[in-house]
Amino acid sequence: TIALGVLVSGSGSNLQAIIDRVGDGSLDADIRIVIANKPDAQGLERARKAGIATACVRHDEFPERESFDRELVRLLREAEARFVALAGFMRILTPVFLTPFAGRVINIHPALLPACPGLRAQEQQAGHGVRLAGCTVHFVDEEMDHGPIIIQAAVPAYADDDEATLGARILEMEHRIYPQALQWIAQDRVQVVGRQVVVRGASRTMGTLW
Ligand code: GAR
């Protein structure tokens, strides 16, 4: 079982997928706390409904990223979270956060990295006219959307897709691969060798195509 903190900024549908997989026994996680950087993040409501501790740390109340990060670290430690899942968390984290949680921060990004990093990846993909879109769960390092990839899923993109239709297709896959990646970590099957993530006992194709 992993003691997990989850950081959200918005809707929290990935958080919900994680909560649901814990609920049905397919993810061995103890969600210690959900933290949002905005008071109106719907993810906070989802956490409360599930009886999970919540906190809101408003980034706009901190003078710089470092003091905001320090407060996040404090709360996560207090909640005894060992791993941190970013689930639609739209703030860049500094070494103040990433050093104490080195190798234990996981992110989901709505594109097949290293394509389309950064903001509005769904729009980037639809606008570019890609034929394969997708999502990526990866460990977080100090470069944005860059760390070792744990799992990816591809979905088709069609000529008549827009940001919304493509985004919905991607999101459905996000909800499958994020709990899966976390479960591999919970089972202590994940090893990082350079840029490669090796998942013990998973078939060679797991984590590449769904
Ligand atoms: C998800 O599509 C997630 O991949 C994306 O934000 C959305 C959050 O949805 N994250 C990023 O773009 C990070 N750069 P959710 O709040 O419903 O989980």
Side-chain angles (χ1 to χ4, degrees):
T1 301
I2 45 172
L4 193 63
V6 183
L7 305 191
V8 299
S9 297
S11 146
S13 72
N14 276 291
L15 165 68
Q16 190 66 55
I18 292 167
I19 291 171
D20 292 347
R21 296 291 78 76
V22 172
D24 71 19
S26 55
L27 171 55
D28 300 317
D30 177 10
I31 307 173
R32 307 287 310 169
I33 189 168
V34 171
I35 306 175
N37 64 311
K38 295 177 179 178
D40 60 349
Q42 205 196 318
L44 288 174
E45 195 46 46
R46 294 180 191 268
R48 282 186 210 112
K49 259 197 196 122
I52 298 164
T54 61
C56 179
V57 184
R58 295 181 61 132
H59 65 273
D60 52 7
E61 288 179 353
F62 291 80
E64 8 71 9
R65 292 187 190 277
E66 284 75 12
S67 50
F68 171 71
D69 284 7
R70 206 163 291 122
E71 178 61 5
L72 294 178
V73 170
R74 190 188 69 76
L75 287 166
L76 288 162
R77 281 193 170 140
E78 194 176 78
E80 298 183 354
R82 194 170 143 69
F83 286 83
V84 181
L86 310 182
F89 185 67
M90 305 308 268
R91 303 295 303 169
I92 292 170
L93 295 165
T94 71
V96 168
F97 185 96
L98 294 174
T99 304
F101 284 101
R104 289 183 279 126
V105 185
I106 304 107
N107 182 44
I108 185 149
H109 183 75
L112 294 170
L113 291 174
C116 301
L119 292 175
R120 306 189 73 113
Q122 303 91 335
E123 185 183 273
Q124 290 183 50
Q125 290 166 101
H128 196 93
V130 302
R131 284 292 168 265
L132 278 175
C135 45
T136 303
V137 179
H138 65 95
F139 286 109
V140 174
D141 65 13
E142 281 163 27
E143 281 177 63
M144 190 179 56
D145 299 327
H146 174 268
I149 291 169
I150 304 167
I151 186 169
Q152 293 186 304
V155 300
Y158 305 116
D160 61 358
D161 269 323
D162 58 20
E163 179 184 358
T165 57
L166 182 57
R169 200 174 302 124
I170 295 170
L171 195 58
E172 210 180 297
M173 278 300 181
E174 294 186 41
H175 298 161
R176 291 169 61 175
I177 68 173
Y178 211 175
Q180 172 65 264
L182 295 172
Q183 176 62 358
W184 285 337
I185 294 168
Q187 293 171 325
D188 201 16
R189 290 163 64 186
V190 173
Q191 199 189 340
V192 181
V193 185
R195 284 209 62 88
Q196 293 289 336
V197 171
V198 182
V199 181
R200 236 179 324 112
S203 73
R204 274 179 88 199
T205 53
M206 275 302 269
T208 53
L209 267 182
W210 282 58

